[in-house]
Amino acid sequence: MYETYYGLSAKPFRLRPDPNFFFGSKGHKRAMAYLEYGLSQGEGFIVITGEVGAGKTTLVRNLFKQLESEQIVAAHVVNTHLNSEDTLRTVVAAFGLPYEDASKTALLTRLEQFLRSCDQQGKRALLVVDEAQNLTPRAVEELRMLSNFQTDDKSLLQTFLLGQPEFRGTLHSASMAQLRQRVIATYHLGPMDAGETRAYIEHRLSTVGWKGDPSFTQGAYDAIHEYTGGIPRKVNTLCDRLLLNGYLEELHAFSEEQVADVIRDIEQEYVVPGKDAAEAAPTLQVAALEPHELAALQAAPEPTVMDERMVRLEKSIVSVLAILKKIVGTNPNSNIPHDHHE
C-alpha cells in the first residue's frame, strides 16, 4: 500500500525472517562468527540464545544462504513442542527421510544410514533446532544421543541450538552435564543500541530502494529505539505502522511526534473492549489515557482524578457525534438505519 507512495520496491519491514534484509549489527556479526566457527569445527553443539524477535532465525537463514549446498546438507527444525520420540521423528523428517509408521530403532537406523551416505559423498550433515527453550530435558538428551553417530575420525552430525534466554537455564541444569561437554561455543544475541537501530532501519529501507523519502529526524530514531528496546522484530512492527500512517496522512517526514502517535495507537489496540454497552464507557475512558495517567488511575482512583477522566470521555463522545453529524450533513441521501443488519 505505502510502497508505491514512497517509491519502494517492496515492504521493508516484513515480520517474516528474510536473509535478504540481514543486518550485521555488532551482536549479529559476532553470532555469525560463532556459527561459522562451529561449521569449521564440524562437530558438537553451537548454542545461540536471544530475546523473542532478536533475529536468531534470520541469522540462520543468512547462514543457509551462504552455505555451499554441494558440501553441506542442512535441516531446520522449528516445531519443538515434542517428546523424545517425536524429536527423533521430526529430525528424520527434516532431512527428508520417511518417518511414518516406523519404530524408534528403524528411525535411528534410517538416519544413521543417511548420515553415512552423506559422509561417503563428501558432505556434512547440519541440524538446526529453533525455539530450543521448548524442548524437554528428555528431548534435548535425544538430540545429544544423535551426536554419537560418527566414523573413526569425525562426527556425522553437527547441531545448532537456537533459543530464548531461558534455554541457558536448561543448559546449565544438572541433567545437562553430558550435553555441555559437547557444546563447543555459546553466544547470547542481545538487542541493538540506538545507533545500530537507526542503521538497521536505514538498511532495510535502502534494500528496497529508499532515496530519503520519507525522512526521519534524530528524535524519531531515538523514540523508535526507546519503545522497541532495539529488538529487530519490534522495530519492524513499529516502522511498518509508521509508514502506513504516513501514507494515510500524506506525510514525507517523521519526527518523534508522529512516532508517539503510532505508539499510542498500537497500545490502545490492546485495551480489551467491554462485553456490553454498560462496560463501553470505562473502556473508551481507559483507551484515551496516557500510560502514566492509566497508572495513576489504577493506583489511586480519587474523585478528582475520576472527574478529569469523565470530562475527557465527554469530549470524546462529543467529537464522535460531531463527526457523524458532518457525515450526514454532507450527504443528504444518507440515513442511519435502526435495528437493521446487512
Side-chain angles (χ1 to χ4, degrees):
M1 182 179 290
Y2 59 72
E3 303 96 297
T4 302
Y5 184 72
Y6 291 119
L8 306 176
S9 61
K11 291 187 69 174
F13 298 106
R14 295 181 183 275
L15 294 183
R16 62 178 176 80
D18 188 340
N20 294 318
F21 286 95
F22 178 76
F23 173 73
S25 68
K26 288 181 291 187
H28 287 80
K29 285 180 179 177
R30 287 181 63 85
M32 274 301 293
Y34 273 82
L35 292 177
E36 290 168 353
Y37 168 77
L39 282 176
S40 70
Q41 297 303 297
E43 64 178 356
F45 290 79
I46 299 286
V47 178
I48 302 289
T49 57
E51 299 292 344
V52 175
K56 301 181 296 295
T57 303
T58 302
L59 196 72
V60 169
R61 295 192 178 182
N62 185 62
L63 177 69
F64 281 2
K65 186 178 177 182
Q66 298 178 13
L67 293 179
E68 298 181 19
S69 58
E70 305 83 21
Q71 298 180 359
I72 295 180
V73 178
H76 193 181
V77 173
V78 178
N79 180 17
T80 51
H81 288 284
L82 310 165
N83 57 37
S84 57
E85 284 197 21
D86 285 338
T87 300
L88 174 58
R89 199 174 301 277
T90 301
V91 170
V92 170
F95 278 112
L97 304 174
Y99 63 93
E100 296 179 345
D101 301 323
S103 65
K104 182 174 182 179
T105 300
L107 290 172
L108 287 170
T109 301
R110 194 171 295 166
L111 180 60
E112 181 177 14
Q113 290 174 346
F114 171 77
L115 296 176
R116 292 192 180 280
S117 175
C118 289
D119 180 60
Q120 292 168 2
Q121 297 173 45
K123 298 180 179 181
R124 291 167 46 198
L126 171 64
L127 174 64
V128 178
V129 180
D130 215 337
E131 303 297 340
Q133 76 281 349
N134 296 328
L135 293 168
T136 64
R138 288 190 62 186
V140 174
E141 176 63 12
E142 195 72 32
L143 292 175
R144 185 194 69 80
M145 293 294 290
L146 296 182
S147 67
N148 289 331
F149 290 132
Q150 53 189 344
T151 64
D152 292 337
D153 60 345
K154 60 183 174 181
S155 296
L156 294 175
L157 178 66
Q158 185 175 25
T159 303
F160 290 177
L161 299 176
L162 312 179
Q164 294 173 25
E166 55 264 34
F167 181 63
R168 299 175 75 87
T170 301
L171 187 63
H172 287 88
S173 63
S175 62
M176 293 291 107
Q178 293 190 68
L179 177 66
R180 287 197 301 274
Q181 293 174 5
R182 302 196 183 190
V183 173
I184 60 176
T186 65
Y187 184 75
H188 180 72
L189 184 60
M192 301 179 291
D193 61 28
E196 289 175 327
T197 299
R198 173 173 180 164
Y200 172 83
I201 293 169
E202 294 179 348
H203 167 76
R204 293 191 72 103
L205 286 166
S206 297
T207 301
V208 294
W210 179 60
K211 303 297 182 183
D213 179 23
S215 63
F216 297 75
T217 66
Q218 184 58 49
Y221 286 121
D222 292 341
I224 292 170
H225 178 261
E226 181 178 357
Y227 180 73
T228 64
I231 300 296
R233 188 181 300 166
K234 292 182 178 180
V235 174
N236 288 358
T237 299
L238 177 55
C239 287
D240 184 64
R241 289 289 295 271
L242 184 63
L243 291 179
L244 176 60
N245 187 68
Y247 163 72
L248 296 174
E249 300 292 334
E250 299 184 355
L251 302 175
H252 290 277
F254 296 118
S255 68
E256 58 267 38
E257 294 179 4
Q258 283 76 47
V259 176
D261 288 342
V262 172
I263 291 172
R264 192 175 300 112
D265 288 343
I266 292 174
E267 291 180 339
Q268 288 180 359
E269 290 168 5
Y270 288 96
V271 176
V272 180
K275 295 182 179 179
D276 52 41
E279 297 176 350
T283 299
L284 287 172
Q285 180 183 356
V286 172
L289 304 183
E290 301 291 340
H292 67 279
E293 293 175 322
L294 177 58
L297 177 61
Q298 293 172 332
E302 300 175 355
T304 55
V305 176
M306 293 300 295
D307 289 343
E308 293 175 6
R309 303 302 180 268
M310 289 304 298
V311 170
R312 293 189 62 174
L313 176 60
E314 290 171 0
K315 288 181 179 179
S316 298
I317 294 174
V318 170
S319 297
V320 171
L321 290 175
I323 293 172
L324 288 174
K325 289 178 180 179
K326 183 177 180 181
I327 293 173
V328 174
T330 55
N331 185 0
N333 296 321
S334 66
N335 56 74
I336 302 176
H338 296 277
D339 298 324
H340 173 69
H341 299 278
E342 295 182 354

